[in-house]
Amino acid sequence: MRPAIDENPEGVLSGEWPENFSLVSYEDLRKYLESQIVSTDKMSPTAKLSEVMSRPVEVAMADQKLAEVDALFATQSGLPVLDGEGRCIGVVSKKDKAKASNGLDSTVAEIMSSPAITLTLDKTVLEAAALMLKHKVHRIPVVNEQLQVIGIVTRTDVFQALEEANKA
């Protein structure tokens, strides 16, 4: 039974995944989501990420101090993290920032979630949704063959694509 909104407003509004959600296998979830697809001429779960991803993307470098990227969290809830060669190696979020043991003196590499969970341009909204659910993440960097970030797909991007499909 779901708690009433006034019982645990922080938990209800946070968008956090339940702890036992990972019991669902990726393949089972994907099959279920595929069975729910509504095909339309508008945006749909089968749309490619290139059609729905956000760009340009603000990024953080692994060796940066958290203080250097802190201002970006005013408009972004998370940032892809790049290594010295520009490859995506993780993601740093506001949640990671809150757990930083050295506060703003921590480096991004010390607090980021790693390894990076990424997708390529040819993947679909459905695949992004399933991967977000499986790994309990809110954003997935979209990368090219060299693992360079070329976009990012967020829960909002996925929800908007699914909403468009259901409007038709």
Side-chain angles (χ1 to χ4, degrees):
M1 186 159 124
R2 281 180 83 169
I5 195 153
D6 58 346
E7 285 181 44
N8 182 12
E10 293 80 25
V12 173
L13 299 176
S14 72
E16 295 300 317
W17 305 109
E19 290 301 317
N20 64 353
F21 195 83
S22 61
L23 297 175
V24 175
S25 78
Y26 176 73
E27 281 306 310
D28 289 343
L29 180 61
R30 188 162 190 246
K31 285 178 188 172
Y32 171 76
L33 290 173
E34 284 175 346
S35 73
Q36 302 300 306
I37 291 177
V38 178
S39 296
T40 68
D41 292 337
K42 294 184 178 184
M43 199 59 67
S44 75
T46 57
K48 299 292 183 199
L49 293 183
S50 59
E51 300 172 48
V52 301
M53 69 182 187
S54 302
R55 57 183 152 195
V57 182
E58 296 283 353
V59 298
M61 300 303 290
D63 60 352
Q64 279 184 296
K65 293 282 187 191
L66 197 49
E68 296 175 56
V69 297
D70 186 49
L72 296 174
F73 288 121
T75 57
Q76 313 284 322
S77 61
L79 306 165
V81 179
L82 309 182
D83 65 10
E85 280 119 43
R87 295 180 303 229
C88 186
I89 57 170
V91 173
V92 64
S93 68
K94 287 182 182 180
K95 194 173 182 179
D96 297 324
K97 175 188 157 193
K99 296 177 186 176
S101 58
N102 294 328
L104 295 178
D105 287 332
S106 300
T107 65
V108 171
E110 292 171 346
I111 65 165
M112 71 180 184
S113 300
S114 183
I117 297 165
T118 62
L119 289 170
T120 55
L121 278 175
D122 62 325
K123 300 299 182 193
T124 64
V125 169
L126 175 66
E127 290 169 304
L131 200 58
M132 285 177 178
L133 290 170
K134 179 183 179 193
H135 292 284
K136 302 177 188 172
V137 297
H138 302 265
R139 69 205 59 76
I140 299 176
V142 180
V143 298
N144 61 17
E145 299 79 27
Q146 293 79 35
L147 296 179
Q148 296 168 325
V149 177
I150 54 176
I152 194 163
V153 63
T154 64
R155 287 188 312 165
T156 302
D157 298 327
V158 169
F159 291 152
Q160 286 174 344
L162 296 174
E163 185 179 336
E164 286 297 319
N166 287 332
K167 283 183 182 176

